[in-house]
Amino acid sequence: MPNGYNTPMEMLARKLDSIARLADSDRAALLDLPHTVRNLPARHDIVRFGDRPTHSCLVLQGWVYRYAALAEGGRQILSFYIAGDVPDLQSLHLHRMDHNLATLTSCVVALIAHDDLRAVLLRNPGLAGTLWRDSLIDAAHYRERITSLGRRQALGRVAHLFCELYLRQKAVGLARGLSCPLVPKQSELADALGLTSVHLNRVLRTLRGRGLVTLSGGILTIEDWDALTEVAEFDQTFLHLANNPAPARETAEAI
């Protein structure tokens, strides 16, 4: 199993524990949920606009992203997903896809049939509530991203995304110290942040020049958490992390 877990559902349980403590009965039901593990290549569409999926996808290893494709070939990346995330949980109730979901890297995923998921949730309303909370938090991420795209300057947008990705990975054990993987290429970060690749490159040079971050070999290291959060105007409330109630700077310094 990827990332040191015995079963795929243990990874989902770890993710859900980061936003709400699972009851023992809900955890047991989750661990028994039927699923099928698949290996997917990088840049592979898992589901496409207009599809009517019958399964939801749990990311076990690698990165996945949600995106909208424009007629002239442009792309807006809407969000990134990491191990433990179920990026298309809404397809359980919204039966026709209104966006695309694709692998950013080679990935290992667990496919969970909607029929099996519905049956488990009907028997375990507490688990249903936790997954509903997860969907609401995903919506909170969108509200924060809209604020960034609409009102933050480029420097703040990039700094904010870095803070978010760091804390999300820390919550599920994928960060070490103040370092975490940063898998997206500059062109992909640009598509997520509404910037050109040239503009993004200038912003990254500024962040490095100020001693706020370093980027090397796909690893982001935050060199000055306080200064980075100040540039980003970052408040972690929108992440709703149950196990990280302290302010963001205290959370980071305590690692």
Side-chain angles (χ1 to χ4, degrees):
M1 260 298 299
N3 296 314
Y5 291 87
N6 293 322
T7 71
M9 293 304 116
E10 285 183 5
M11 190 174 297
L12 179 54
R14 170 67 182 269
K15 161 63 188 298
L16 295 179
D17 271 335
S18 75
I19 61 170
R21 184 65 63 185
L22 285 173
D24 290 344
S25 58
D26 291 336
R27 183 183 301 277
L30 186 65
L31 294 180
D32 286 338
L33 190 60
H35 56 274
T36 303
V37 175
R38 291 282 186 268
N39 293 285
L40 301 177
R43 291 163 185 81
H44 168 83
D45 281 333
I46 301 171
V47 287
R48 297 188 176 112
F49 183 96
D51 284 353
R52 298 179 181 273
T54 58
H55 293 70
S56 286
C57 166
L58 165 65
V59 183
L60 302 177
Q61 183 170 291
W63 285 50
V64 167
Y65 69 105
R66 180 181 288 161
Y67 73 98
L70 304 179
E72 72 276 13
R75 173 183 66 175
Q76 176 65 50
I77 291 181
L78 303 169
S79 46
F80 295 109
Y81 296 95
I82 58 175
D85 288 337
V86 185
D88 59 349
L89 186 60
Q90 71 273 17
S91 67
L92 185 64
H93 299 293
L94 300 178
H95 300 148
R96 187 169 182 265
M97 293 293 291
D98 56 20
H99 60 274
N100 306 280
L101 187 70
T103 60
L104 190 64
T105 65
S106 59
C107 287
V108 183
V109 302
L111 300 179
I112 307 167
H114 287 164
D115 288 344
D116 291 331
L117 189 52
R118 288 190 190 97
V120 168
L121 297 183
L122 284 172
R123 294 193 302 268
N124 299 272
L127 180 58
T130 302
L131 288 174
W132 173 230
R133 177 179 172 84
D134 188 51
S135 293
L136 291 175
I137 292 171
D138 197 31
H141 294 179
Y142 271 88
R143 290 191 291 274
E144 199 66 30
R145 189 64 52 79
I146 290 169
T147 302
S148 279
L149 292 174
R151 291 299 175 185
R152 289 190 177 100
Q153 298 299 312
L155 192 68
R157 288 185 212 177
V158 177
H160 198 281
L161 181 61
F162 284 176
C163 292
E164 174 194 330
L165 292 176
Y166 166 74
L167 284 181
R168 284 174 57 197
Q169 292 184 86
K170 173 187 173 291
V172 293
L174 297 177
R176 296 291 180 270
L178 284 173
S179 297
C180 66
L182 186 68
V183 170
K185 297 179 180 178
Q186 287 194 23
S187 60
E188 293 155 347
L189 290 173
D191 283 349
L193 294 166
L195 303 171
T196 66
S197 292
V198 172
H199 195 176
L200 175 64
N201 190 265
R202 288 199 298 266
V203 171
L204 293 176
R205 288 203 306 268
T206 298
L207 290 173
R208 288 192 292 258
R210 292 188 184 181
L212 303 184
V213 303
T214 56
L215 297 168
S216 178
I219 298 296
L220 165 70
T221 299
I222 299 174
E223 303 291 352
D224 189 333
W225 177 262
D226 288 356
L228 188 67
T229 56
E230 183 176 353
V231 167
E233 297 184 274
F234 186 82
D235 183 325
Q236 76 175 66
T237 301
F238 76 100
L239 296 172
H240 297 281
L241 296 172
N243 298 331
N244 291 309
R249 69 179 58 184
E250 293 179 18
T251 302
E253 290 170 353
I255 299 173

